[in-house]
Amino acid sequence: MISEIRKNLGRPLTLSEKILYSHLYQKFQIGASNRGVDYVDFAPDRVAMQDATAQMALLQFMMAGKEHTAVPSSVHCDHLIMAKSGAAEDMKSAVFTNKEVYDFLSSVCNKYDIGFWKPGAGIIHQIILENYAFPGGMMIGTDSHTPNAGGLGMIAIGVGGADAVDVMTGMAWELKLPRLIGIKLNGRLNGWASAKDIILKVAGLLTVSGGTGCIVEYFGEGAESLSCTGKATICNMGAEIGATSSIFGYDNAMAKYLIATGRSEVAEMAGKNREHLTADIEISAEPTKYYDQYIEINLSELEPYINGPFTPDLATPISKMKTVAEKNGWPVNVEVGLIGSCTNSSYEDMSRAASVVKNALSVKLTAKSEFKITPGSEQIRFIAERDGYFDLFKKIGGEVFANACGPCIGQWDRKGSDKNLVNTVIHSFNRNFAKRADGNPNTYAFVASPEIVTAIAISGKLTFNPITDTLLNSEGKDVKIAEPKGIELPPQGFGNIDNGYQQPEKSGNKSDIIIAADSDRLQSLTPFKEWDGVDFSDLPLLIKAKGKCTTDHISMAGFWLKYRGHLENISNNYMIGAINYFNDKTNLILNQLTCQYDTVPSVAKAYKTAGNGSVVVGEENFGEGSSREHAAMEPRYLNVKAVIVKSFARIHETNLKKQGVLTLTFSNNEDYSKILEDDKIDIVGLKEFTPGKQITIVLNHSDGKQENIIAKHSYNEPQIGWFKAGSALNIIKKSNQKYDT
Ligand code: SF4
């Protein structure tokens, strides 16, 4: 197939192209696509979901009427575990607090043959790397750091729940064909520099948006010299430059990791197909000709970086930190150093951090800062404990948290953080935006490699450079910490342990899906009703949103995240962040039934209860931002019949279409101003709803006057089918029924 693709395109292929083009949903699209411009349908090999995002994705999947997912899928309970008092206590508390969510996820996984990784099993991306990722594969995951699997040569992309539903139900999955950034790594890391420092440097070069819409492909002798898990760290943090994905070509480090994690047969197969799992040789010979952007980094000269505060692309070489911190007035006393997470808790990471501790103890140093460890998986926890690393960490006061996200995603019940005091922490996680670690906006969080975090925790100072600086030991002597030595893979193997995986029961013995009747976190979905074949008439305007209206304005995050599995409850945040054009206020709109002002969700519910639909109006790029499906499900649930805007963000428009909400754009943007606060709106001619045909909207003003305006739409035939059926899932369900009978 690869040679056919090469022939079709008439040129050598990058690794990303080989994988992308061999995962097309329909073969005939080959050669017809422009990078960064065209949308292409793909058929990924697998789906991964973390527990927060899996809830709504699975509730939707359940409505598709399938017996099992179209591709292998897995769910990982990692995001809901609060780090507070150490692993054992925290696990007990999480299992109690989140019982209903875990029971639900476990029962759905069991019913639909989805792999279920219990709380405590580990963090989604580490588990994927240890168990499922494979060279040449393509996967999507409902989490931004899914690209971690690029460390094993897989194109892995973070998506929203709606995309997961597409792939699990066997529909095409659409993506704008990514542009390609080639990064050649020359030389070899040495001393204190690690794989983490490569991506910290790249983040500094490309900034948080420099990789947007791109796949970053790493190659060169330096790339081959990195461990598989080091490569995964780099791919993981590609999300910090906005990259769609990041990837390395298949090499011996990947083969060793596959064999060590019990997948010799995958290594053997990959070895036989090595030429298809790396870029063609012409690409590395003339990279500027084939990549949209090209960068070279010499690893032999790379020094460790510390990135932050408040953004992962503010990169400072460790040798410059004293000057930069002083210039910016950053607080340099470090209160806590944290290592681990999905980004940096490989055996190699743990061994290098432990080596720093061992070297420090040997010269009679101990830690000035607190030190916390978040293992990425039960496998890693087990071997790090077995091989004595945790004992070393404990000697400098280290505390091991549960195998979960914890402090990386604000799930850190840190003592005193509610006082919002200015303070500094340093961690080996990937993101360091304000409030992300402990909810305190005044916590200056810096990102560095585990070995640098450990050294800095020992010194207690952000400005400590272990390459050049000495510390005063317990005997009053100036001593240096020797540079760390790491071990790539555990010499005693990964061990045969209970890794926290729940195998779905074989068919015939499936238990029921568990949702408590009085749950406020979970609610079964009811299929949306089919269109009744009648034009929409007399729909009151719900809100005319002014200016920017992102998915955050449409469906806020924060407090509302706990209702991700409960459509009715989360619909109480619908459009509460949007600005009402008529009074410049958020969440205060006219209720045409009472002539009073009320919140957007209350008015929408009042219309729904009265048996009315309603219409939402907006401006440019409506629904930009994350691809969260709630922003499209909530209006449908609240009986919003149509959203009419100057332009849509493409993903949100598609999500609305999938849920059966009519998406229209003004033919003439000036018509936005014709819509009045107390208008009733007709949308006519829907019986002749066809691709390319414009639609007439009648504005019934309260003074009795009428105005007609024209709207465009971007529906194709199948999408018109979604509208008529009430949702895309209803169509899938119908086609199953046809197939079954
Ligand atoms: S550890 Fe952090 S980055 Fe990784 S999956 Fe969890 S929240 Fe996301």
Side-chain angles (χ1 to χ4, degrees), residues 223-541:
E224 288 184 25
S225 72
L226 300 173
S227 65
C228 173
T229 50
K231 292 177 173 80
T233 295
I234 293 170
C235 293
N236 178 306
M237 279 194 70
E240 272 47 76
I241 55 165
T244 303
S245 193
S246 300
I247 193 165
F248 283 79
Y250 184 67
D251 61 18
N252 292 341
M254 292 187 196
K256 278 197 284 180
Y257 186 76
L258 283 168
I259 294 164
T261 50
R263 292 171 287 172
S264 314
E265 69 292 353
V266 179
E268 200 179 315
M269 215 183 294
K272 285 185 190 149
N273 289 284
R274 197 177 276 247
E275 64 180 295
H276 302 315
L277 301 171
T278 49
D280 287 345
I281 41 169
E282 295 90 332
I283 304 284
S284 47
E286 281 186 288
T288 49
K289 189 168 167 190
Y290 299 106
Y291 292 111
D292 300 294
Q293 191 177 348
Y294 175 64
I295 293 169
E296 278 190 32
I297 296 174
N298 184 353
L299 302 191
S300 306
E301 292 169 359
L302 187 72
E303 68 169 306
Y305 273 76
I306 299 178
N307 287 22
F310 305 120
T311 181
D313 61 347
L314 185 52
T316 306
I318 199 160
S319 59
K320 305 264 176 345
M321 186 44 102
K322 278 189 195 86
T323 320
V324 176
E326 193 178 323
K327 188 170 146 221
N328 289 289
W330 294 335
V332 296
N333 287 335
V334 173
E335 298 205 1
V336 191
L338 304 102
I339 64 167
S341 90
C342 67
T343 321
N344 270 109
S345 64
S346 64
Y347 190 80
E348 186 179 39
D349 289 329
M350 291 292 157
S351 67
R352 280 175 70 85
S355 156
V356 172
V357 174
K358 198 171 169 190
N359 296 344
L361 290 171
S362 72
V363 290
K364 305 202 167 13
L365 287 168
T366 186
K368 296 238 171 28
S369 313
E370 289 178 40
F371 189 56
K372 314 279 180 195
I373 306 99
T374 309
S377 70
E378 176 57 15
Q379 273 287 1
I380 287 293
R381 187 212 59 76
F382 172 76
I383 51 180
E385 183 154 58
R386 179 197 64 192
D387 295 353
Y389 298 150
F390 286 176
D391 283 342
L392 277 168
F393 296 152
K394 281 173 192 161
K395 284 188 183 153
I396 59 160
E399 181 181 29
V400 180
F401 283 145
N403 313 320
C405 302
C408 180
I409 187 73
Q411 295 279 44
W412 183 17
D413 191 349
R414 184 181 173 200
K415 209 170 165 201
S417 66
D418 53 337
K419 295 194 183 102
N420 287 356
L421 299 177
V422 171
N423 76 105
T424 292
V425 302
I426 186 163
H427 60 62
S428 69
F429 310 158
N430 42 35
R431 290 197 167 154
N432 57 346
F433 300 123
K435 295 188 183 179
R436 182 166 168 108
D438 61 359
N440 174 0
N442 297 318
T443 293
Y444 284 60
F446 292 83
V447 184
S449 67
E451 47 272 54
I452 291 296
V453 169
T454 309
I456 285 185
I458 289 167
S459 76
K461 292 279 183 208
L462 181 68
T463 47
F464 174 65
N465 179 357
I467 302 167
T468 53
D469 296 352
T470 56
L471 294 169
L472 209 58
N473 74 2
S474 58
E475 294 171 347
K477 289 186 190 148
D478 278 330
V479 291
K480 272 191 85 176
I481 306 177
E483 64 188 35
K485 297 267 175 295
I487 304 172
E488 186 172 335
L489 291 162
Q492 295 182 59
F494 274 89
N496 193 8
I497 56 156
D498 173 4
N499 58 10
Y501 176 64
Q502 172 191 290
Q503 180 83 31
E505 289 166 35
K506 292 289 162 225
S507 50
N509 190 21
K510 305 274 187 190
S511 43
D512 290 338
I513 290 174
I514 305 160
I515 300 181
D518 59 351
S519 172
D520 72 342
R521 288 179 71 177
L522 291 165
Q523 182 187 47
S524 298
L525 296 172
T526 313
F528 295 127
K529 280 199 184 127
E530 283 185 21
W531 176 57
D532 59 6
V534 179
D535 282 346
F536 296 137
S537 63
D538 270 342
L539 301 176
L541 173 73

Side-chain angles (χ1 to χ4, degrees), residues 35-56:
R35 290 183 204 158
V37 177
D38 293 326
Y39 284 82
V40 179
D41 286 343
F42 290 102
D45 300 309
R46 73 173 305 127
V47 174
M49 291 160 278
Q50 40 99 330
D51 46 4
T53 47
Q55 298 167 51
M56 190 53 81

